[in-house]
């Protein structure tokens, strides 16, 4: 995700020592190759970029890019990316500090993708014989799954064999 941060000096004084602060959204990593050069990791998920001076009416834009983690916790469905801008105050206090920050939410298309396969290993059974089925399962999605339950139907004409099965079946 590449965020474009647009900034403008709408005051009546030039701004000096302008710094943009960007919070790293949860479950992402900073992507410096796709970002405007110069971002500095301040620790704790905060990055800053020194923009310098900005004359009255002047505008600018910078890029801040993140890579979304390949696996996300259950229920995580959007990135929250707050940012702010401030100057060094050399030309007086900001006339309207309320417009010095903004935030963006980015929906994330994440979901578990549960898969299961079943095999008897190619055995042939006889009357009173034991057939052991191997059930293999995984999550091929990009979000963790919780509360996963495997349901198995015992074939008609057979009975469940607890002794030869993985413990925990109910």
């Amino acid at each position: 995700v590449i965020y474009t941060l647009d900034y403008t000096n709408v005051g009546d004084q030039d701004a000096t020592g302008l710094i943009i602060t960007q919070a790293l959204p949860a479950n992402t990593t900073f992507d410096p190759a796709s970002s405007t050069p110069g971002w500095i990791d301040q620790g704790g998920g905060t990055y800053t970029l020194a923009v310098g001076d900005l004359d009255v009416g002047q505008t600018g834009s910078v890029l801040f890019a993140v890579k979304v983690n390949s696996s996300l916790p259950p229920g995580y469905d959007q990135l929250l990316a707050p940012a702010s801008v401030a100057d060094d105050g050399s030309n007086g206090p900001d006339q309207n500090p309320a417009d010095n920050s903004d935030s963006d939410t980015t929906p994330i298309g994440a979901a578990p993708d549960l898969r299961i396969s079943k095999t008897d290993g190619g055995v042939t059974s006889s009357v009173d014989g034991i057939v052991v089925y191997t059930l293999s399962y995984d999550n091929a999605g990009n979000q963790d799954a919780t509360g996963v339950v495997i349901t198995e139907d015992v074939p008609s004409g057979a009975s469940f064999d607890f002794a030869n099965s993985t413990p925990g079946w109910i």
Side-chain angles (χ1 to χ4, degrees), residues 14-156:
D14 293 343
T16 57
L18 200 68
I19 301 282
I20 295 176
T21 302
Q22 173 67 55
L24 182 69
N27 297 298
T28 66
T29 56
F30 177 59
D31 178 7
S34 300
S35 300
T36 300
W39 286 98
I40 298 173
D41 184 355
Q42 301 297 324
T46 301
Y47 286 76
T48 59
L49 180 67
V51 178
D53 299 341
L54 194 64
D55 295 337
V56 173
Q58 188 178 8
T59 65
S61 291
V62 297
L63 302 177
F64 185 84
V66 298
K67 181 176 185 207
V68 180
N69 295 351
S70 60
S71 180
L72 298 173
Y76 192 80
D77 60 358
Q78 66 182 7
L79 302 177
L80 177 62
S84 63
V85 63
D87 72 348
D88 62 13
S90 296
N91 293 328
D94 192 306
Q95 296 172 342
N96 183 9
D99 64 359
N100 290 11
S101 63
D102 199 7
S103 187
D104 185 67
T105 53
T106 305
I108 298 296
D113 180 10
L114 302 178
R115 301 183 302 185
I116 191 165
S117 63
K118 177 179 176 178
T119 181
D120 64 6
V123 300
T124 301
S125 181
S126 59
V127 175
D128 291 329
I130 296 174
V131 177
V132 176
Y133 295 100
T134 300
L135 303 173
S136 300
Y137 58 93
D138 71 330
N139 179 358
N142 56 4
Q143 189 168 55
D144 296 343
T146 59
V148 177
V149 175
I150 295 175
T151 302
E152 172 64 293
D153 293 325
V154 176
S156 176

